[in-house]
Amino acid sequence: MTREAKPYYLESLEDRYPRWAVRSVYTGVNSFISIFLMAIIAYNTHAPFVFPSLGPTAFLLFYTPLAAASAPHNTLVGHLIGLLAGWFSLAVTGLLAVPPDLEKIDWQRILACAIALGLTCGLMPIFQAAHPPTGATTLIVSLGLIRTPEHLLIMMVAVFVIVLQGFVINRAAGLPYPMWRKRAQNAPPDD
């Protein structure tokens, strides 16, 4: 079936209604659904399945689903880089066991934040995994807000779940959301 035969496809709706209105509703409703589901998981497991950088990740997945930053590779690898860089910064500054105190930032914490963000921003281009919300993820970890290995693993599971939601929703809307990476324009198919 072609896109014209499926009136609920996003592009078909954008042909009939103002694009800004369709994108606004699509982005808002799907971001609501995604974070609502993540919050229900967090509520039932008492684990950090919701954290601040998932908000901008949801926005990217639904507002610019075909952008490279929204592709599963960039989202998953980007957040993994941020988590690991944040954890590394805590380890090298001796803060792994120190609880967060956002009102009293000392030199160790300043250094941990700087190391984490510098590593994250430096490693994302190397791994071709630019995903801006990762900057928030690495700061969440380097500030000590989420820092145990168990919770870091849960954060990655949460990122995987929201990427899976984005994949299902965007494909259901008729968008050619990538399986892993955004393909360059006019690139030959992978064999």
Side-chain angles (χ1 to χ4, degrees), residues 81-91 96 112 116 120 137-139 141-142:
I81 289 168
L83 287 171
L84 294 175
W87 186 87
F88 174 79
S89 76
L90 291 176
L96 281 173
T120 299
T137 296
T138 204
L139 290 176
V141 176
S142 65

Side-chain angles (χ1 to χ4, degrees), residues 7-30:
Y8 58 88
Y9 273 6
L10 193 62
E11 288 180 356
S12 180
L13 291 171
E14 289 176 340
D15 289 342
R16 292 183 289 170
Y17 304 103
R19 185 177 192 278
W20 65 266
V22 171
R23 284 295 166 141
S24 177
V25 171
Y26 184 77
T27 303
V29 168
N30 290 316

Side-chain angles (χ1 to χ4, degrees), residues 68 71-74 77 127-129 177-184:
H73 170 267
N74 290 44
V77 174
F127 290 96
Q128 297 177 1
Y177 186 74
M179 291 289 292
W180 184 240
R181 284 185 187 253
K182 177 179 172 29
R183 288 189 343 122

Side-chain angles (χ1 to χ4, degrees), residues 27-90:
T27 303
V29 168
N30 290 316
S31 294
F32 172 89
I33 290 168
S34 292
I35 294 299
F36 184 80
L37 292 173
M38 299 306 293
I40 287 176
I41 295 169
Y43 175 79
N44 286 311
T45 62
H46 304 286
F49 277 92
V50 176
F51 49 93
S53 50
L54 280 187
T57 292
F59 178 79
L60 287 175
L61 290 177
F62 300 114
Y63 186 69
T64 58
L66 303 181
S70 302
H73 170 267
N74 290 44
T75 305
L76 291 165
V77 174
H79 279 288
L80 180 61
I81 289 168
L83 287 171
L84 294 175
W87 186 87
F88 174 79
S89 76
L90 291 176

Side-chain angles (χ1 to χ4, degrees), residues 90-166:
L90 291 176
V92 299
T93 56
L95 294 172
L96 281 173
V98 178
D101 184 353
L102 298 179
E103 294 178 13
K104 250 171 108 178
I105 303 288
D106 60 15
W107 283 103
Q108 281 177 287
R109 192 69 70 184
I110 291 168
L111 187 57
C113 289
I115 290 169
L117 191 61
L119 279 174
T120 299
C121 293
L123 290 172
M124 282 193 295
I126 291 171
F127 290 96
Q128 297 177 1
H131 184 71
T134 299
T137 296
T138 204
L139 290 176
I140 290 165
V141 176
S142 65
L143 286 167
L145 301 172
I146 299 177
R147 67 185 184 282
T148 67
E150 176 187 348
H151 285 163
L152 297 178
L153 178 60
I154 290 167
M155 287 177 77
M156 276 312 300
V157 170
V159 172
F160 177 79
V161 170
I162 205 164
V163 167
L164 183 60
Q165 291 173 12

